[in-house]
Amino acid sequence: MKLDFETAMKALSHPARMEFLIWLRDPEKYFGLSAESAAHGVMAGKFEIGGMSQSAVSGHLHILLRAGFLTSRRIGQHVFYRRNEEAIAEFKGWLVDQI
C-alpha cells in the first residue's frame, strides 16, 4: 500500500482519531475484549466509550480508513475495525525521514 502522506497527516490531526489508534493497539485493555473476541477487530459501537455520538465515531473511523490506518471487515450486520500495522509503520518511517 502506498500512503498519501498529506491525507494521513490530516487524519491524525484530531485527538479522537489518535485515541482510536491507541485503543486499537490494545483492544483487550481499552475495550475489555478477550483476545479471541478482538480477533476480527472491534465493532464501531465500542468506540462510543469516548462519549461521542455514533455519527461522530463513524466519521472518524471513515477518515482513518481512507487514510489507510485502519482496515475493516463486515461480518453479518457488524463492521469490525483493525489497525493497518503495515501502513502505520510506513507512516512512521516517512515521518522520521522528514524530521
Side-chain angles (χ1 to χ4, degrees):
M1 168 187 188
K2 189 66 180 157
L3 277 180
D4 173 353
F5 294 103
E6 183 177 341
T7 301
M9 291 292 290
K10 288 178 184 177
L12 297 178
S13 69
H14 193 284
R17 293 190 287 267
M18 289 290 293
E19 202 166 33
F20 285 7
L21 288 173
I22 292 166
W23 293 349
L24 283 169
R25 185 176 50 208
D26 192 357
E28 294 87 1
K29 175 181 176 182
Y30 291 100
F31 297 104
L33 300 173
S34 68
E36 184 179 318
S37 296
H40 294 297
V42 177
M43 288 188 302
K46 294 284 190 182
F47 289 88
E48 293 174 23
I49 60 174
M52 280 184 264
S53 68
Q54 184 273 328
S55 61
V57 166
S58 292
H60 288 308
L61 290 171
H62 178 76
I63 289 168
L64 289 168
L65 272 169
R66 192 174 58 214
F69 290 126
L70 297 182
T71 61
S72 65
R73 179 178 180 189
R74 179 174 288 280
I75 300 175
Q77 295 179 345
H78 303 287
V79 179
F80 294 81
Y81 296 90
R82 297 179 61 113
R83 287 168 46 112
N84 181 345
E85 297 298 342
E86 182 180 311
I88 291 169
E90 182 181 346
F91 178 78
K92 286 178 179 179
W94 173 82
L95 189 60
V96 167
D97 289 344
Q98 299 304 309
I99 296 180

